């Protein structure tokens, strides 16, 4: 329902955005159903009802939430306007409403614009099913309804968890698209003009995309990925366009901390970084994450840092920090208003409290192989000594009193 209301508002709001003569001429254009092959081609058609001869028609397309407008020359045959857009060359935003309109040039008179129409650009390579609650619409194509309910349960739990960390009000419904494999999901995002490896959220569209292959790890992945993307969607609904200027460590740290099952690899990564003194400065994670293997360390640090902040300052502290950054405060000083400390000072407290407490365990883990080797070295001569002593006692016990050894 949210999607169709959005499309209706787009149509109504854009219908009069034309040349002065456009309003009078929109009745001469009747749009036909849009057809497209996802990632390949979209065909726009409209019926021309004007008796005036038209010398040229130009079609325009623009995805929701973007400033990029594509255009091309349409053809007219027997009163039918047709325009085919090559999506391999100029992709549209996946899971977004797409506006389109026409500019018509009569043989005599001034050019005019048609009304603005729209269609929803969904991945139509799959036969999507839907399962929903008041807050979420789950779209999936492989698995039964029980699977969809598991995803929905994780989304609702992720929402409740997010509302425990932050003061988030009731939300607008959002869509979650579930792919049956990472390959299929990644191909979808690439065809939609994106380059992502894992799950992805388009917060301004109210859409999250994840891959949840069948297998023994599926449930744990549901409980990890779904709450993660839900937090991204909720953050956008909380702060709007300011979401895109928030520090990356804050966005990704909150999303990771919202997962129902913490990633066990993070603790291993952090322990190794502490041991090798290779932790990344939190200030280096404000604008972006590394594009190499350190990206996993960046996620691990952000997750641990947010958990530390929540333990120290609670929901109100995190909420005030979020609002401070959303208001445009700098990454280093945006925390001062809510905690009284700069980001660097908070990082010092985190390293001392959250990481130094684990140094003994890290040291034990690091020394364990050497400890085993040392224990083996000591046990061998000790065993030989004990065995020799037992043999000597047996020999002494078998002699008669007064007998010597020689």
């Amino acid at each position: 329902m949210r999607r169709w209301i959005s499309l209706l508002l787009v149509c109504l709001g854009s219908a009069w955005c034309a040349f002065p003569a456009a309003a009078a001429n929109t009745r001469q254009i009747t749009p036909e159903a849009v057809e497209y092959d996802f990632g390949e081609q979209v065909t726009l058609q409209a019926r021309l009802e004007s008796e005036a001869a038209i010398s040229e028609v130009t079609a325009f397309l623009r995805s929701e939430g973007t400033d990029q407008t594509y255009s091309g020359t349409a053809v007219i045959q027997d009163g039918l306007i047709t325009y085919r857009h090559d999506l391999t060359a100029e992709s549209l935003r996946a899971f977004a409403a797409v506006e389109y309109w026409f500019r018509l040039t009569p043989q005599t008179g001034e050019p005019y614009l048609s009304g603005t129409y729209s269609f929803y650009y969904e991945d139509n390579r799959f036969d999507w099913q839907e399962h929903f609650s008041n807050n979420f619409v789950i779209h999936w194509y492989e698995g039964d309804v029980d699977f969809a309910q598991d995803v929905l349960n994780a989304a609702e739990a992720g929402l409740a968890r997010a509302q425990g960390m932050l003061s988030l009000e009731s939300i607008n419904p959002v869509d979650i698209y579930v792919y049956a494999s990472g390959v299929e999901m990644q191909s979808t995002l690439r065809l939609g003009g994106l380059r992502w490896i894992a799950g992805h959220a388009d917060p301004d569209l109210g859409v999250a995309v994840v891959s949840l292959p069948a297998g023994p790890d599926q449930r744990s992945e549901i409980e990890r990925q779904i709450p993660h993307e839900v937090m991204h969607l909720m953050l956008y609904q909380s702060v709007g366009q300011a979401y895109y200027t928030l520090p990356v460590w804050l966005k990704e740290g909150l999303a990771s901390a919202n997962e129902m099952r913490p990633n066990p690899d993070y603790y291993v990564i952090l322990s190794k970084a502490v041991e090798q003194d290779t932790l990344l400065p939190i200030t280096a994670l404000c604008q972006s994450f590394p594009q190499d293997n350190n990206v996993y360390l960046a996620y691990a640090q952000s997750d641990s840092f947010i958990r530390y902040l929540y333990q120290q300052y609670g929901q109100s502290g995190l909420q005030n920090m979020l609002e401070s950054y959303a208001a445009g405060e700098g990454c280093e000083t945006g925390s001062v208003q809510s905690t009284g400390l700069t980001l660097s000072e908070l990082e010092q407290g985190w390293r001392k409290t959250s990481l130094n407490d684990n140094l003994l365990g890290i040291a034990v883990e690091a020394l364990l192989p050497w400890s085993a080797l040392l224990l083996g070295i000591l046990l061998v001569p000790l065993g030989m000594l004990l065995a020799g002593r037992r043999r000597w006692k047996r020999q002494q016990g078998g002699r008669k009193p007064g007998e010597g050894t020689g």
Side-chain angles (χ1 to χ4, degrees):
M1 180 64 69
R2 176 184 60 82
R3 182 191 309 162
W4 294 113
I5 290 175
S6 175
L7 292 176
L8 178 60
L9 291 176
V10 167
C11 293
L12 292 176
S14 304
W16 301 95
C17 297
F19 289 129
N25 289 292
T26 53
R27 296 180 182 179
Q28 300 175 3
I29 299 292
T30 303
E32 302 281 336
V34 175
E35 297 180 357
Y36 65 86
D37 296 317
F38 187 81
E40 297 181 11
Q41 177 179 274
V42 59
T43 301
L44 307 177
Q45 290 187 319
R47 183 66 59 179
L48 178 62
E49 300 177 357
S50 172
E51 295 181 357
I54 301 297
S55 62
E56 184 180 41
V57 177
T58 304
F60 300 86
L61 301 92
R62 181 173 59 230
S63 296
E64 178 184 1
T66 69
D67 296 326
Q68 179 70 53
T69 299
Y70 300 125
S71 63
T73 301
V75 298
I76 305 176
Q77 185 174 4
D78 297 329
L80 182 65
I81 299 171
T82 302
Y83 173 69
R84 291 182 173 85
H85 182 77
D86 183 3
L87 294 171
T88 64
E90 297 175 329
S91 60
L92 296 174
R93 194 177 183 188
F95 306 109
V98 178
E99 298 177 331
Y100 69 97
W101 63 96
F102 302 96
R103 181 179 186 271
L104 297 94
T105 303
Q107 289 184 354
T108 59
E110 295 296 323
Y112 61 92
L113 295 180
S114 71
T116 300
Y117 318 105
S118 66
F119 65 96
Y120 188 68
Y121 184 56
E122 186 179 59
D123 186 352
N124 60 1
R125 297 172 302 168
F126 302 97
D127 185 15
W128 296 100
Q129 303 180 67
E130 292 187 0
H131 188 57
F132 55 88
S133 66
N134 291 333
N135 299 315
F136 301 97
V137 181
I138 309 301
H139 307 258
W140 88 106
Y141 58 85
E142 187 170 304
D144 55 19
V145 176
D146 290 340
F147 165 71
Q149 184 62 50
D150 287 341
V151 176
L152 184 58
N153 290 342
E156 295 288 357
L159 173 59
R161 190 176 175 88
Q163 290 173 330
M165 277 197 288
L166 298 168
S167 300
L168 301 175
E169 300 178 358
S170 58
I171 68 168
N172 296 321
V174 297
D175 295 274
I176 299 176
Y177 285 82
V178 181
Y179 284 83
S181 76
V183 172
E184 291 173 347
M185 183 199 72
Q186 291 164 28
S187 70
T188 298
L189 297 178
R190 286 196 300 273
L191 293 174
L194 297 172
R195 297 292 185 271
W196 292 86
I197 298 175
H200 171 67
D202 275 316
D204 62 317
L205 298 179
V207 172
V209 181
V210 298
S211 64
L212 296 170
D217 296 330
Q218 187 181 69
R219 178 170 291 276
S220 62
E221 283 300 298
I222 290 174
E223 295 177 351
R224 187 182 68 82
Q225 291 190 46
I226 299 302
H228 185 108
E229 302 306 335
V230 165
M231 175 59 88
H232 281 298
L233 297 172
M234 297 307 97
L235 283 175
Y236 181 86
Q237 292 199 12
S238 176
V239 301
Q241 285 293 317
Y243 168 89
Y244 295 106
T245 62
L246 294 176
V248 178
W249 63 261
L250 179 62
K251 290 186 290 189
E252 294 300 340
L254 285 168
S256 294
N258 200 48
E259 297 172 8
M260 296 165 62
R261 295 198 183 194
N263 191 329
D265 293 339
Y266 286 172
Y267 301 103
V268 177
I269 293 170
L270 278 177
S271 298
K272 184 177 179 181
V274 171
E275 178 188 349
Q276 299 179 351
D277 193 24
T278 56
L279 287 169
L280 305 169
I282 297 297
T283 52
L285 306 178
C286 293
Q287 301 298 324
S288 62
F289 277 3
Q291 298 301 305
D292 53 21
N293 286 337
N294 278 332
V295 68
Y296 302 107
L297 177 58
Y299 274 101
Q301 288 188 211
S302 300
D303 175 275
S304 178
F305 189 49
I306 287 295
R307 293 177 190 272
Y308 163 76
L309 294 177
Y310 182 70
Q311 291 172 354
Q312 296 294 317
Y313 302 100
Q315 183 196 64
S316 61
L318 277 182
Q319 182 66 33
N320 291 337
M321 184 179 294
L322 173 65
E323 292 174 358
S324 178
Y325 281 119
E329 292 291 337
C331 192
E332 173 67 17
T333 60
S335 60
V336 174
Q337 182 177 352
S338 55
T339 67
L341 300 173
T342 66
L343 183 61
S344 297
E345 291 170 334
L346 287 174
E347 180 180 355
Q348 293 175 9
W350 163 67
R351 290 195 180 204
K352 180 179 179 180
T353 302
S354 299
L355 301 185
N356 285 359
D357 288 346
N358 294 327
L359 287 180
L360 178 59
I362 294 169
V364 170
E365 181 181 354
L367 292 174
L368 188 58
W370 300 104
S371 300
L373 179 60
L374 178 61
L375 185 61
I377 293 173
L378 293 175
L379 286 178
V380 170
L382 181 60
M384 295 175 63
L385 178 62
L386 292 175
R389 185 174 180 81
R390 285 196 296 269
R391 286 197 300 271
W392 180 80
K393 286 184 176 181
R394 286 197 299 269
Q395 291 173 359
Q396 292 297 316
R399 295 192 182 98
K400 296 179 181 180
E403 290 182 347
T405 59

